[in-house]
Amino acid sequence: MGRTQQKDMISKAIQLYEEVFRFAFRKIKDKDAAQDIAQNVMEIVISKMHTLKNTEALKSWVMKITANEINAYFRKIEKYRKNTIDLQPDDGLDIIEQLQDLEADILEKLTREESQYNVIKALLRLETIYQDIIRDHLVYEIPFTLIAEKRKIKYNTVKTRYKRGIESLKKEFEKVEKGGCKDE
């Protein structure tokens, strides 16, 4: 498709804007969303115009893109709906039970995050020789053999320090969880 022909096709596609908007509005019943879809369709058409092989099929091509954008809009709405609390008791749960479940989920997440924070606090209270080996092995997943090579110490020394470090970490974690240690 030549440059002049492509410009003519883009001009014809832009003339279809109102029709695209009306089609989207009939399907969605939301003026703002229909305008957004029409705008997206025009952007797609302009950027992909060079891929259109049959210029006689312009309108059907544009309307197909519009249908795809409408379907994407509904998928996005459905995904959002599934990820938010459903305040309709159609699944047998009333609103109070749903809110209690949501509250339990939030509390569980906060507890998990607080525990992770406390593990880090406890780890930072250990001697450096234990901190480094525990961090290398658990966080960076470095095998003991490589830790030994990197630190130029014996393999058994690494294992012993790791074991002692884990035991110390457990004790420090219990102290932190009980509130026996203040933030430093």
Side-chain angles (χ1 to χ4, degrees):
M1 179 182 315
R3 198 162 197 75
T4 306
Q5 187 181 14
Q6 192 171 2
K7 283 182 181 180
D8 290 340
M9 295 302 291
I10 289 172
S11 178
K12 288 178 183 176
I14 291 172
Q15 290 172 4
L16 293 172
Y17 178 88
E18 283 300 316
E19 192 170 342
V20 167
F21 168 77
R22 284 192 306 276
F23 178 66
F25 183 72
R26 277 194 314 270
K27 296 290 184 182
I28 295 175
K29 309 287 191 249
D30 180 341
K31 183 179 178 183
D32 293 333
Q35 286 175 332
D36 289 344
I37 287 173
Q39 183 65 39
N40 290 346
V41 168
M42 290 299 120
E43 289 174 4
I44 292 168
V45 167
I46 290 168
S47 69
K48 303 284 185 184
M49 183 60 72
H50 65 279
T51 65
L52 182 63
K53 291 181 178 32
N54 181 2
T55 57
E56 299 296 317
L58 175 67
K59 184 175 179 179
S60 62
W61 181 64
V62 170
M63 298 315 282
K64 178 67 176 166
I65 293 171
T66 305
N68 289 341
E69 287 297 299
I70 291 169
N71 289 336
Y73 170 82
F74 282 122
R75 281 193 302 274
K76 182 176 166 185
I77 295 296
E78 182 63 25
K79 183 178 178 183
Y80 175 79
R81 191 187 69 74
K82 285 181 180 180
N83 289 335
T84 58
I85 187 166
D86 184 5
L87 296 178
Q88 300 298 321
D90 60 310
D91 59 357
L93 293 177
D94 64 359
I95 293 171
I96 293 171
E97 287 174 330
Q98 290 180 18
L99 290 173
Q100 287 171 337
D101 288 346
L102 183 61
E103 182 181 60
D105 290 346
I106 290 169
L107 288 174
E108 180 184 332
K109 184 175 191 246
L110 289 173
T111 302
R112 206 172 36 246
E113 286 175 1
E114 183 180 356
S115 290
Q116 290 170 347
Y117 173 73
N118 287 343
V119 168
I120 292 168
K121 265 178 37 178
L123 180 63
L124 293 174
R125 298 181 63 79
L126 298 180
E127 292 178 49
T128 307
I129 61 170
Y130 300 131
Q131 279 184 34
D132 293 343
I133 290 174
I134 290 171
R135 189 179 307 113
D136 283 351
H137 188 66
L138 292 181
V139 177
Y140 301 116
E141 299 178 350
I142 300 172
F144 291 141
T145 52
L146 292 179
I147 294 171
E149 285 177 27
K150 181 174 103 174
R151 300 192 181 283
K152 296 182 180 20
I153 55 178
K154 293 181 181 179
Y155 172 79
N156 285 336
T157 304
V158 172
K159 284 179 32 179
T160 302
R161 287 181 183 173
Y162 178 77
K163 183 179 180 218
R164 287 181 184 158
I166 292 294
E167 289 168 356
S168 296
L169 180 62
K170 183 179 176 185
K171 289 176 187 172
E172 290 299 324
F173 177 74
E174 288 170 356
K175 287 180 191 176
V176 171
E177 285 281 295
K178 289 179 184 173
C181 301
K182 300 286 183 215
D183 286 339
E184 296 179 345

